[in-house]
């Protein structure tokens, strides 16, 4: 690892994008014609090391591609399976409802597999049965959410009227 030269360090998509941007600036300045730009762009796309990328800019003035220090991956906090998943409305989806939401497409896949293995079309009723069970268990939650949002709207409207009575 100590024997690795800077020109032998591998590059990623960020460096390739920077090189393509620099080539575009050179073409815009008239230093490259469209054919040279296309040829060099193709070489940028296939470049694997810094040396291969910098070789495309030896006859061009600045801007050249820049290479930053490699960033360490940002650690991601583990998510517990019992934690509620936030929705856009700010409420959380119950765990059982998340399981049923995943069960519907899995039931569809199982129906296709069973249909082709046992040649019975009745298996296509399986996803509908899973949806019916899920709707029976969690089907009225949308009514509660709608009622709560309606009540919140009315409360905000009352508060607005109280604050602006003098107008």
């Amino acid at each position: 690892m100590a024997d690795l030269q800077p020109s032998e360090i591998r590059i990623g998509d960020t460096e390739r994008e920077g090189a393509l941007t620099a080539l575009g600036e050179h073409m815009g300045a008239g230093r490259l014609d469209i054919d040279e730009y296309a040829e060099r762009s193709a070489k940028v796309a296939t470049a694997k090391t810094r040396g291969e990328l910098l070789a495309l800019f030896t006859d061009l003035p600045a801007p050249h591609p820049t290479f930053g220090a490699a960033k360490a991956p940002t650690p991601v906090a583990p998510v517990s399976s019992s934690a509620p998943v936030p929705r856009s409305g700010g409420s959380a989806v119950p765990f059982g409802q998340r399981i049923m939401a995943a069960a519907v497409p899995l039931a569809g896949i199982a129906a296709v597999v069973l249909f082709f293995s046992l040649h019975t079309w009745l298996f296509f009723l399986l996803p509908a049965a899973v949806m019916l069970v899920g709707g029976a268990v969690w089907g009225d939650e949308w009514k509660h959410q709608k009622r709560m949002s309606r009540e919140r709207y009315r409360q905000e409207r009352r508060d607005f009227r109280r604050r602006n009575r003098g107008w």
Side-chain angles (χ1 to χ4, degrees):
M1 196 86 174
D3 299 324
L4 194 64
Q5 298 295 321
S7 63
E8 296 173 344
I9 296 175
R10 293 182 70 90
I11 58 169
D13 291 338
T14 306
E15 290 87 0
R16 286 185 193 94
E17 288 174 14
L20 287 173
T21 302
L23 281 176
E25 290 180 26
H26 289 299
M27 186 179 78
R31 294 185 194 104
L32 297 174
D33 63 13
I34 193 76
D35 293 329
E36 287 177 308
Y37 175 78
E39 179 183 321
R40 291 183 192 213
S41 295
K43 289 180 180 177
V44 165
T46 60
K48 291 185 176 29
T49 63
R50 290 180 177 181
E52 292 175 9
L53 202 58
L54 289 174
L56 300 172
F57 290 86
T58 55
D59 61 337
L60 295 171
H64 290 180
T66 57
F67 307 105
K71 295 181 183 177
T74 307
V76 177
V79 178
S80 70
S81 61
S82 62
V85 176
R87 259 194 264 178
S88 61
S91 62
V93 179
F95 180 72
Q97 188 174 3
R98 289 186 281 151
I99 293 296
M100 289 304 290
V104 173
L106 291 175
I109 293 169
V112 170
V113 169
L114 289 171
F115 171 75
F116 283 111
S117 61
L118 301 176
H119 305 290
T120 303
W121 65 269
L122 289 173
F123 289 114
F124 285 114
L125 297 176
L126 187 62
V130 171
M131 286 190 291
L132 286 173
V133 169
V137 176
W138 291 285
D140 290 336
E141 183 179 327
W142 68 273
K143 291 179 184 175
H144 173 72
Q145 290 174 349
K146 188 174 180 181
R147 184 178 68 242
M148 291 305 292
S149 64
R150 202 176 319 132
E151 289 173 6
R152 190 178 309 122
Y153 170 75
R154 288 180 184 153
Q155 182 62 40
E156 288 175 1
R157 197 171 66 192
R158 276 188 235 121
D159 292 343
F160 179 77
R161 287 180 181 160
R162 280 189 204 120
R163 283 191 306 262
N164 298 316
R165 280 193 183 161
W167 288 87

